Amino acid sequence: MTKLYTDDAELYDIAFDWDVEEEVDWLSEQLGRPKSVLEPGCGSGRMLDSFARRGIEAVGIDLSAQMLALAHARLRNRAEVSLADMTDFDLGRTFEGAISPINTLLHLSPEQLARHLDCMVRHLEPGACYLVQVGLIEAASCDPYAGSDWEASRGDTKVHAHWEDEEVDFERGVSRQRSRIEVLAGPRAGEVLEEMHDMTLWTPQTWAGAIEASPFREIATYDGGKKGGRPRVDATATGGLLWHQLQPV
Ligand SMILES: C[S@@+](CC[C@H](N)C(=O)[O-])C[C@H]1O[C@@H](n2cnc3c(N)ncnc32)[C@H](O)[C@@H]1O
């Protein structure tokens, strides 16, 4: 696992700690106002925190002990988190909804995604949905230099974050992404954390095939990258911030 999720999880937590309130309102609505939500790969718990503050029982799992330590500090028992691999876990209970934001599932190979979805279906109540944010790209419309820059701060610490596609290989189904977090101010000022992440590249076709082979079906797709709401789009749409609403078959 990369340093961004382990030794430098604190920098991740600062860089990705933007306001998620409106997004969690939307997720909660799409999930049918659930009483309980599971987030696999919950990281430092920013989404769980927001669900918990709405009175929703929020439970997360993550493979990084450092992320979970940050989640414990943030949540202070408002939500439950534990160490587990999202491709092989059994919490012995079910939930009324589940979420996976910001392309977390791209960390899984197609085989791992299949195992993950098999685990997830056992953790959902009948009719409950799993909303996953997974970007889809196609060779014809692919911008090989797609990237984003933003700044974030907490206390004295200020960081500049940069994330970009370094290499997109449609044949191997892999997208190599570069992340760079530079600490601009605070006790770690001057430090730079730069890493490569090999992520699975999904096209609308390969994604549809993976869902077809899983115990889920996709009942709706929304574009989280569009301004002014998350309009419903066709399942063949491409984009970096698509939300897929999955329901057990
Ligand atoms: C992009 S971060 C997202 C964190 C959180 N969902 C959020 O929105 O802030 C991806 C998270 O997935 C976790 N992760 C990656 N592979 C995992 C696996 N196989 N099982 C559980 N967690 C995993 C990482 O440790 C990391 O915390």
Side-chain angles (χ1 to χ4, degrees):
M1 206 176 275
T2 60
K3 282 182 79 179
L4 195 54
Y5 296 155
T6 53
D7 297 347
D8 284 313
E10 201 179 342
L11 290 183
Y12 172 93
D13 191 37
I14 295 171
F16 288 79
D17 193 18
W18 54 74
D19 186 348
V20 294
E21 295 309 309
E22 185 274 331
E23 188 161 37
V24 170
D25 275 341
W26 181 81
L27 288 166
S28 181
E29 207 57 45
Q30 298 310 123
L31 292 174
R33 299 173 189 253
K35 290 197 185 68
S36 57
V37 164
L38 171 65
E39 184 186 4
C42 62
S44 51
R46 62 191 186 132
M47 306 295 276
L48 293 179
D49 196 19
S50 182
F51 276 104
R53 278 187 280 100
R54 287 164 169 74
I56 297 168
E57 184 193 6
V59 174
I61 59 166
D62 202 283
L63 204 47
S64 158
Q66 291 90 335
M67 282 289 197
L68 290 176
L70 290 168
H72 277 298
R74 179 198 296 265
L75 297 164
R76 282 173 282 139
N77 296 326
R78 276 196 297 272
E80 195 188 312
V81 291
S82 57
L83 190 74
D85 185 337
M86 68 166 100
T87 67
D88 181 14
F89 69 99
D90 182 3
L91 301 179
R93 57 163 294 186
T94 54
F95 296 84
E96 291 190 4
I99 58 152
S100 175
I102 53 167
N103 282 320
T104 294
L105 296 188
L106 298 191
H107 287 298
L108 305 182
S109 67
E111 296 71 29
Q112 290 173 324
L113 178 76
R115 289 206 299 275
H116 169 64
L117 293 176
D118 284 345
C119 285
M120 287 304 292
V121 80
R122 291 196 294 270
H123 288 84
L124 287 176
E125 294 194 5
C129 285
Y130 183 24
L131 274 161
V132 305
Q133 194 168 35
V134 170
L136 305 180
I137 53 175
E138 234 164 357
S141 58
C142 167
D143 171 6
Y145 305 109
S148 49
D149 280 276
W150 69 98
E151 286 187 358
S153 50
R154 180 182 297 157
D156 293 340
T157 300
K158 183 174 181 187
V159 300
H160 178 264
H162 176 75
W163 201 288
E164 69 179 11
D165 284 336
E166 167 119 343
E167 194 189 325
V168 183
D169 186 333
F170 282 89
E171 245 169 54
R172 287 198 307 126
V174 173
S175 130
R176 295 209 84 206
Q177 304 187 0
R178 177 187 297 278
S179 67
R180 185 176 193 278
I181 300 198
E182 182 180 0
V183 185
L184 302 175
R188 296 179 65 178
E191 281 187 45
V192 176
L193 173 66
E194 193 161 341
E195 285 184 296
M196 298 304 299
H197 311 263
D198 279 337
M199 317 281 272
T200 297
L201 181 160
W202 292 103
T203 66
Q205 293 72 30
T206 58
W207 176 256
I211 300 306
E212 177 76 33
S214 83
F216 287 92
R217 67 195 168 106
E218 182 152 336
I219 59 169
T221 314
Y222 305 89
D223 193 343
K226 288 262 194 317
K227 292 263 180 284
R230 296 170 185 78
R232 195 161 167 180
V233 293
D234 196 82
T236 56
T238 55
L241 295 169
L242 295 173
W243 278 104
H244 309 267
Q245 187 162 11
L246 308 181
Q247 198 171 48
V249 176

